[in-house]
mmCIF file of all heavy atoms in Angstrom:
data_model
loop_
_atom_site.group_PDB
_atom_site.id
_atom_site.type_symbol
_atom_site.label_atom_id
_atom_site.label_comp_id
_atom_site.label_asym_id
_atom_site.label_seq_id
_atom_site.Cartn_x
_atom_site.Cartn_y
_atom_site.Cartn_z
ATOM 1 N N ASP A 43 86.465 53.424 -116.917
ATOM 2 C CA ASP A 43 86.734 54.797 -117.350
ATOM 3 C C ASP A 43 86.771 55.772 -116.171
ATOM 4 O O ASP A 43 87.143 56.929 -116.338
ATOM 5 C CB ASP A 43 85.669 55.266 -118.354
ATOM 6 C CG ASP A 43 85.742 54.501 -119.664
ATOM 7 O OD1 ASP A 43 86.820 53.958 -119.969
ATOM 8 O OD2 ASP A 43 84.721 54.451 -120.367
ATOM 9 N N ARG A 44 86.393 55.295 -114.994
ATOM 10 C CA ARG A 44 86.337 56.156 -113.812
ATOM 11 C C ARG A 44 87.506 55.840 -112.884
ATOM 12 O O ARG A 44 87.771 54.681 -112.568
ATOM 13 C CB ARG A 44 85.016 55.923 -113.093
ATOM 14 C CG ARG A 44 84.744 56.903 -112.026
ATOM 15 C CD ARG A 44 83.301 56.803 -111.604
ATOM 16 N NE ARG A 44 83.113 57.628 -110.416
ATOM 17 C CZ ARG A 44 82.134 57.483 -109.573
ATOM 18 N NH1 ARG A 44 81.222 56.561 -109.781
ATOM 19 N NH2 ARG A 44 82.034 58.261 -108.526
ATOM 20 N N LEU A 45 88.186 56.897 -112.422
ATOM 21 C CA LEU A 45 89.319 56.736 -111.512
ATOM 22 C C LEU A 45 88.881 57.017 -110.079
ATOM 23 O O LEU A 45 88.009 57.846 -109.831
ATOM 24 C CB LEU A 45 90.455 57.687 -111.895
ATOM 25 C CG LEU A 45 91.052 57.497 -113.279
ATOM 26 C CD1 LEU A 45 92.119 58.556 -113.538
ATOM 27 C CD2 LEU A 45 91.641 56.103 -113.429
ATOM 28 N N ILE A 46 89.528 56.333 -109.133
ATOM 29 C CA ILE A 46 89.292 56.558 -107.716
ATOM 30 C C ILE A 46 90.627 56.806 -107.019
ATOM 31 O O ILE A 46 91.663 56.309 -107.461
ATOM 32 C CB ILE A 46 88.566 55.366 -107.053
ATOM 33 C CG1 ILE A 46 89.336 54.054 -107.278
ATOM 34 C CG2 ILE A 46 87.141 55.255 -107.568
ATOM 35 C CD1 ILE A 46 88.766 52.857 -106.534
ATOM 36 N N VAL A 47 90.589 57.593 -105.951
ATOM 37 C CA VAL A 47 91.759 57.834 -105.109
ATOM 38 C C VAL A 47 91.490 57.161 -103.777
ATOM 39 O O VAL A 47 90.490 57.457 -103.118
ATOM 40 C CB VAL A 47 92.003 59.340 -104.908
ATOM 41 C CG1 VAL A 47 93.212 59.564 -103.997
ATOM 42 C CG2 VAL A 47 92.193 60.051 -106.233
ATOM 43 N N LYS A 48 92.377 56.256 -103.387
ATOM 44 C CA LYS A 48 92.193 55.493 -102.147
ATOM 45 C C LYS A 48 93.540 55.229 -101.492
ATOM 46 O O LYS A 48 94.591 55.430 -102.088
ATOM 47 C CB LYS A 48 91.508 54.142 -102.417
ATOM 48 C CG LYS A 48 90.138 54.263 -103.026
ATOM 49 C CD LYS A 48 89.158 54.912 -102.095
ATOM 50 C CE LYS A 48 87.844 55.220 -102.786
ATOM 51 N NZ LYS A 48 87.018 56.137 -102.033
ATOM 52 N N ARG A 49 93.492 54.703 -100.269
ATOM 53 C CA ARG A 49 94.709 54.314 -99.557
ATOM 54 C C ARG A 49 94.925 52.815 -99.737
ATOM 55 O O ARG A 49 94.021 52.020 -99.488
ATOM 56 C CB ARG A 49 94.592 54.658 -98.079
ATOM 57 C CG ARG A 49 95.919 54.526 -97.355
ATOM 58 C CD ARG A 49 95.910 55.151 -95.992
ATOM 59 N NE ARG A 49 95.538 56.550 -95.982
ATOM 60 C CZ ARG A 49 96.362 57.569 -96.243
ATOM 61 N NH1 ARG A 49 97.613 57.324 -96.569
ATOM 62 N NH2 ARG A 49 95.926 58.814 -96.182
ATOM 63 N N ALA A 50 96.109 52.445 -100.169
ATOM 64 C CA ALA A 50 96.468 51.027 -100.333
ATOM 65 C C ALA A 50 96.727 50.448 -98.940
ATOM 66 O O ALA A 50 97.571 50.947 -98.203
ATOM 67 C CB ALA A 50 97.710 50.895 -101.209
ATOM 68 N N GLN A 51 95.990 49.401 -98.590
ATOM 69 C CA GLN A 51 96.141 48.802 -97.265
ATOM 70 C C GLN A 51 97.061 47.580 -97.288
ATOM 71 O O GLN A 51 97.974 47.494 -96.490
ATOM 72 C CB GLN A 51 94.773 48.426 -96.696
ATOM 73 C CG GLN A 51 93.914 49.622 -96.388
ATOM 74 C CD GLN A 51 94.492 50.516 -95.301
ATOM 75 O OE1 GLN A 51 95.282 50.093 -94.479
ATOM 76 N NE2 GLN A 51 94.098 51.766 -95.314
ATOM 77 N N TRP A 52 96.778 46.628 -98.166
ATOM 78 C CA TRP A 52 97.644 45.447 -98.295
ATOM 79 C C TRP A 52 97.465 44.850 -99.678
ATOM 80 O O TRP A 52 96.476 45.081 -100.356
ATOM 81 C CB TRP A 52 97.376 44.408 -97.206
ATOM 82 C CG TRP A 52 96.045 43.738 -97.268
ATOM 83 C CD1 TRP A 52 95.689 42.666 -98.030
ATOM 84 C CD2 TRP A 52 94.863 44.096 -96.550
ATOM 85 N NE1 TRP A 52 94.375 42.335 -97.818
ATOM 86 C CE2 TRP A 52 93.847 43.204 -96.915
ATOM 87 C CE3 TRP A 52 94.569 45.096 -95.613
ATOM 88 C CZ2 TRP A 52 92.558 43.265 -96.391
ATOM 89 C CZ3 TRP A 52 93.289 45.153 -95.104
ATOM 90 C CH2 TRP A 52 92.308 44.250 -95.485
ATOM 91 N N HIS A 53 98.457 44.063 -100.077
ATOM 92 C CA HIS A 53 98.430 43.421 -101.389
ATOM 93 C C HIS A 53 98.276 41.918 -101.206
ATOM 94 O O HIS A 53 99.001 41.295 -100.436
ATOM 95 C CB HIS A 53 99.720 43.725 -102.153
ATOM 96 C CG HIS A 53 99.660 43.284 -103.567
ATOM 97 N ND1 HIS A 53 100.113 42.057 -103.988
ATOM 98 C CD2 HIS A 53 99.175 43.894 -104.662
ATOM 99 C CE1 HIS A 53 99.916 41.943 -105.286
ATOM 100 N NE2 HIS A 53 99.353 43.050 -105.726
ATOM 101 N N GLY A 54 97.302 41.347 -101.905
ATOM 102 C CA GLY A 54 97.061 39.908 -101.860
ATOM 103 C C GLY A 54 97.179 39.315 -103.250
ATOM 104 O O GLY A 54 97.598 39.989 -104.204
ATOM 105 N N ASP A 55 96.791 38.067 -103.395
ATOM 106 C CA ASP A 55 96.884 37.373 -104.678
ATOM 107 C C ASP A 55 96.039 38.020 -105.772
ATOM 108 O O ASP A 55 96.391 37.957 -106.939
ATOM 109 C CB ASP A 55 96.453 35.908 -104.520
ATOM 110 C CG ASP A 55 97.406 35.118 -103.656
ATOM 111 O OD1 ASP A 55 98.581 35.539 -103.515
ATOM 112 O OD2 ASP A 55 96.990 34.079 -103.113
ATOM 113 N N GLU A 56 94.925 38.647 -105.387
ATOM 114 C CA GLU A 56 94.007 39.219 -106.377
ATOM 115 C C GLU A 56 94.192 40.717 -106.591
ATOM 116 O O GLU A 56 93.490 41.312 -107.405
ATOM 117 C CB GLU A 56 92.567 38.929 -105.961
ATOM 118 C CG GLU A 56 92.262 37.442 -105.913
ATOM 119 C CD GLU A 56 90.849 37.193 -105.441
ATOM 120 O OE1 GLU A 56 89.959 38.007 -105.722
ATOM 121 O OE2 GLU A 56 90.648 36.168 -104.781
ATOM 122 N N GLY A 57 95.113 41.328 -105.862
ATOM 123 C CA GLY A 57 95.358 42.758 -106.037
ATOM 124 C C GLY A 57 95.429 43.487 -104.710
ATOM 125 O O GLY A 57 95.563 42.882 -103.650
ATOM 126 N N TRP A 58 95.342 44.809 -104.790
ATOM 127 C CA TRP A 58 95.430 45.662 -103.616
ATOM 128 C C TRP A 58 94.073 45.849 -102.964
ATOM 129 O O TRP A 58 93.073 46.051 -103.646
ATOM 130 C CB TRP A 58 95.984 47.038 -103.990
ATOM 131 C CG TRP A 58 97.457 47.039 -104.102
ATOM 132 C CD1 TRP A 58 98.205 46.890 -105.235
ATOM 133 C CD2 TRP A 58 98.380 47.192 -103.029
ATOM 134 N NE1 TRP A 58 99.536 46.933 -104.927
ATOM 135 C CE2 TRP A 58 99.677 47.118 -103.577
ATOM 136 C CE3 TRP A 58 98.248 47.378 -101.667
ATOM 137 C CZ2 TRP A 58 100.815 47.232 -102.803
ATOM 138 C CZ3 TRP A 58 99.389 47.491 -100.891
ATOM 139 C CH2 TRP A 58 100.652 47.418 -101.456
ATOM 140 N N TRP A 59 94.067 45.821 -101.628
ATOM 141 C CA TRP A 59 92.886 46.176 -100.861
ATOM 142 C C TRP A 59 92.967 47.681 -100.652
ATOM 143 O O TRP A 59 93.927 48.192 -100.064
ATOM 144 C CB TRP A 59 92.884 45.449 -99.518
ATOM 145 C CG TRP A 59 91.612 45.645 -98.763
ATOM 146 C CD1 TRP A 59 91.359 46.605 -97.836
ATOM 147 C CD2 TRP A 59 90.416 44.883 -98.893
ATOM 148 N NE1 TRP A 59 90.076 46.484 -97.373
ATOM 149 C CE2 TRP A 59 89.478 45.426 -98.009
ATOM 150 C CE3 TRP A 59 90.048 43.787 -99.674
ATOM 151 C CZ2 TRP A 59 88.189 44.927 -97.873
ATOM 152 C CZ3 TRP A 59 88.764 43.287 -99.538
ATOM 153 C CH2 TRP A 59 87.856 43.850 -98.647
#
Side-chain angles (χ1 to χ4, degrees):
D43 293 337
R44 190 167 171 201
L45 299 177
I46 55 174
V47 179
K48 299 295 171 195
R49 191 167 304 278
Q51 293 296 337
W52 67 83
H53 189 267
D55 293 338
E56 298 178 33
W58 279 96
W59 187 267

